[in-house]
Amino acid sequence: MTAADVYAADQLFATLDPTLRRIDVEDVGAVVLADTVGFIRHLPHDLVAAFKATLQETREATLLLHVIDAADNRLDENIHAVESVLEEIEADEIPVLLVMNKVDMLEDFIPRIDRDEDNKPVRVWVSAQTGDGIPLLLQALTERLSGEIAHVELRLPPNEGRLRSRFYQLQSIEREWLEEDGSIGLEVRMPMVDWRRLCKQEQQLPDYVI
């Protein structure tokens, strides 16, 4: 997707460090893709510690692309193994888009996007080897990421300077103004997963939404 010359091999843990590459997604803007280490079932706790940096990228993602070998007869088992690890590292609440790879190894299979009852892309069938379906994956990314962004206006009381600072730390403030009563108006844009996490941490936050 990024035309990056990154080492790839059919070996267990061929790469241990996250690989970060930037792409521009239509109607969304600049997006950073983080290619993490592959997950295995029953990941030992000492390996969890060793892969801490890589797994941290997973926990902070806006959207997880779960790349799956669609030609593997252990398909369901492999999906469950990854879901178990995501739960173990507390990343199971992050939205997921399934990327069914290796359709070139399936007989007479045409790349496509599968959608849920709300017409949201949930699964994309592609071939990384031939490039078939990659445009569909980019289309799905556009739809999912544009729908996973929180765009909110808030009115914070003068004594909520700490909360205002948190938005600045998240680099999410697009506009700020001062109301006549001394309260602070903010227009913020941030990943929906970060907004939900912040609302959980700051339970009074929804009361400030205009």
Side-chain angles (χ1 to χ4, degrees), residues 53 73 87 93 136:
N73 56 14
E87 183 176 359
E93 293 186 0
L136 293 177

Side-chain angles (χ1 to χ4, degrees), residues 152-154 156-157 160-161 163-165 167-168 172-179 182-188:
V152 184
E153 287 192 359
L154 304 146
L156 302 181
E160 280 290 5
L163 189 53
R164 171 176 171 269
S165 296
F167 283 113
Y168 270 104
S172 61
I173 296 179
E174 293 200 333
R175 188 166 61 96
E176 180 178 357
W177 65 93
L178 188 64
E179 299 280 3
S183 60
I184 301 170
L186 294 178
E187 179 183 0
V188 301

Side-chain angles (χ1 to χ4, degrees), residues 86-98:
L86 290 176
E87 183 176 359
E88 182 179 348
I89 64 175
E90 300 179 352
D92 52 311
E93 293 186 0
I94 298 174
V96 175
L97 175 64
L98 300 180

Side-chain angles (χ1 to χ4, degrees), residues 4-151:
D5 185 17
V6 177
Y7 175 74
D10 185 13
Q11 300 171 357
L12 186 62
F13 305 136
T15 56
L16 295 181
D17 296 323
T19 300
L20 306 180
R21 291 295 184 272
R22 171 176 164 162
I23 64 171
D24 288 318
V25 176
E26 186 178 359
D27 296 331
V28 176
V31 171
V32 175
L33 294 178
D35 182 14
T36 70
V37 66
F39 291 159
I40 59 174
R41 63 186 61 82
H42 307 308
L43 190 65
H45 289 289
D46 54 344
L47 283 183
V48 171
F51 300 153
K52 185 176 181 180
T54 290
L55 299 177
Q56 185 66 28
E57 297 288 345
T58 303
R59 287 196 295 265
E60 294 179 357
T62 301
L63 177 68
L64 295 179
L65 303 184
H66 180 178
V67 182
I68 301 159
D69 183 349
D72 194 328
N73 56 14
R74 299 169 300 174
L75 177 65
D76 293 337
E77 182 182 350
N78 293 338
I79 292 175
H80 178 70
V82 171
E83 291 174 343
S84 297
V85 174
L86 290 176
E87 183 176 359
E88 182 179 348
I89 64 175
E90 300 179 352
D92 52 311
E93 293 186 0
I94 298 174
V96 175
L97 175 64
L98 300 180
V99 181
M100 312 299 290
N101 190 29
K102 300 187 181 181
V103 298
D104 55 296
M105 299 181 65
L106 301 178
E107 186 175 353
D108 298 328
F109 197 95
I110 299 175
R112 68 170 191 258
I113 297 177
D114 294 339
R115 300 173 179 274
D116 63 11
E117 61 274 11
D118 297 320
N119 203 38
K120 180 174 67 176
V122 293
R123 189 181 297 106
V124 187
W125 300 78
V126 306
S127 170
Q129 180 70 28
T130 67
D132 290 342
I134 296 301
L136 293 177
L137 177 54
L138 291 171
Q139 176 186 334
L141 279 178
T142 295
E143 295 184 43
R144 288 297 301 266
L145 290 176
S146 61
E148 300 291 347
I149 301 296
H151 189 195

